Amino acid sequence: MPESVQATPLADGSFDGVAATAQGPPLVFTSRTAHGANTGQAWDLATRAVLGPPVPDFPAERAEWTFGLPTGSPTVAWTHRDRVHVQDVRTGRELVLDGQPDLLALAVHGGRGAVVAVFGPANDAEVVVWDALTGERLAEFALWLGHRTAIDRTALHATPATGPLIALTGGASDAVVVDVERGEDVAAVPSTRAAPPPSPHGLVLVQPVESALHVRGLDGDRLAVLTAPAPCDRVATSGTGGTGRLLVAAGLEGDPCTVLAWDAALTGNGMPIAPSHCVKVPAPVNDLALTPDGTLLTATDEGLHATPLRP
């Protein structure tokens, strides 16, 4: 049986979305609604305190903003009124670019931190890559998305581990893995819901199926089966470097106040792995994320929770 855990409160308020850095110190970014306005806010989980001032006029829709650590400095990018804003969270330095993309991601292009914008009202999407510091246009290319447009998809990354790779996924469609340095898709794997974290088997993707999650390599090979009592929807992952373990968290369809977690050793034999934790959250979960130190972040209409899943 999984260990039953009560979610640990971090802050009161109504939170729409949450994202975490994939490496280094546990840094988090949230979107929050208060008094009819939406703001963005960075958090340092080591001190359990906010990091810098809030960002006004921040989007509530998760597809309209992204957060990560492309090349050593935490960066948040978001869209607002036909502009793309890129901010260094630590310094507050902000870059503004023209455009209203359907998807945003972060990547590493030629060793430089980059913002990736996907414009996709049609099946032929346009991808533009900018230097996150200077705004220099590093690349621009077309991308065929099959029978689904970018509007139906989500852009996933786990910078800096994912380097120039991002994954575009949505619904039952295959996830398209794109190399922004090469300007082309390099793999198509079954639909995934979480950013591809590093593992001893390289980058991996997590695919929700009926009453389970399949962990697959970018070559499509199944590395592990994470069992669940019901279908899962929202999924978050965190790699653990050279330990060979992968931390996965997922919400249960039909039970929005429960999050299951798996602390899985990826042996590569595809053996079933049962959940290690069952986290009870006092309100329905709007979004979730995992930090490198194994903390589960859950955003709800009643507050933000930060629950340690590892000692």
Side-chain angles (χ1 to χ4, degrees):
M1 292 289 292
E3 178 184 354
S4 183
V5 180
Q6 293 296 319
T8 306
L10 178 62
D12 293 331
S14 180
F15 291 85
D16 301 301
V18 61
T21 49
Q23 291 181 213
L27 303 179
V28 174
F29 205 91
T30 60
S31 60
R32 179 177 185 176
T33 302
H35 308 296
N38 217 66
T39 58
Q41 181 66 67
W43 302 76
D44 184 345
L45 285 194
T47 60
R48 299 180 69 85
V50 297
L51 183 62
V55 178
D57 299 320
F58 198 77
E61 290 295 326
R62 193 61 184 82
E64 297 178 6
W65 65 275
T66 189
F67 175 65
L69 197 72
T71 50
S73 187
T75 300
V76 61
W78 70 97
T79 61
H80 180 63
R81 294 180 179 175
D82 298 324
R83 298 289 188 274
V84 176
H85 298 254
V86 186
Q87 185 184 92
D88 184 311
V89 169
R90 289 201 182 279
T91 66
R93 183 183 183 277
E94 186 173 322
L95 176 71
V96 181
L97 304 162
D98 289 333
Q100 183 70 35
D102 297 290
L103 296 173
L104 281 175
L106 298 175
V108 179
H109 187 290
R112 300 157 75 174
V115 179
V116 183
V118 182
F119 301 83
N123 302 76
D124 282 313
E126 178 190 9
V127 181
V128 179
V129 185
W130 291 291
D131 186 299
L133 182 63
T134 66
E136 177 188 349
R137 185 168 293 204
L138 303 176
E140 183 176 354
F141 57 93
L143 183 68
W144 171 249
L145 293 178
H147 299 295
R148 298 284 297 277
T149 70
I151 297 173
D152 302 313
R153 294 179 180 266
T154 302
L156 304 173
H157 63 88
T159 51
T162 43
L165 301 182
I166 65 169
L168 304 179
T169 185
S173 298
D174 284 351
V176 178
V177 181
V178 181
D179 187 319
V180 300
E181 286 183 341
R182 293 167 53 178
E184 62 183 6
D185 58 293
V186 295
V189 296
S191 181
T192 182
R193 298 281 181 86
S199 81
H201 301 273
L203 297 177
V204 296
L205 296 166
V206 179
Q207 173 201 8
V209 297
E210 186 175 355
S211 300
L213 299 170
H214 289 176
V215 181
R216 296 181 181 272
L218 294 187
D219 57 4
D221 287 350
R222 193 169 67 189
L223 303 173
V225 176
L226 311 181
T227 60
C232 299
D233 47 21
R234 296 176 180 84
V235 182
T237 57
S238 177
T240 55
T243 66
R245 304 191 71 84
L246 177 71
L247 189 61
V248 179
L252 285 177
E253 290 185 7
D255 189 356
C257 297
T258 297
V259 177
L260 296 179
W262 296 259
D263 193 355
L266 295 184
T267 59
N269 58 12
M271 292 293 292
I273 300 171
S276 56
H277 297 80
C278 178
V279 182
K280 294 297 184 179
V281 186
V285 175
N286 295 326
D287 198 10
L288 51 82
L290 284 168
T291 64
D293 68 351
T295 300
L296 170 67
L297 280 300
T298 47
T300 77
D301 289 342
E302 297 182 7
L304 179 68
H305 299 80
T307 308
L309 299 181
R310 285 185 175 140

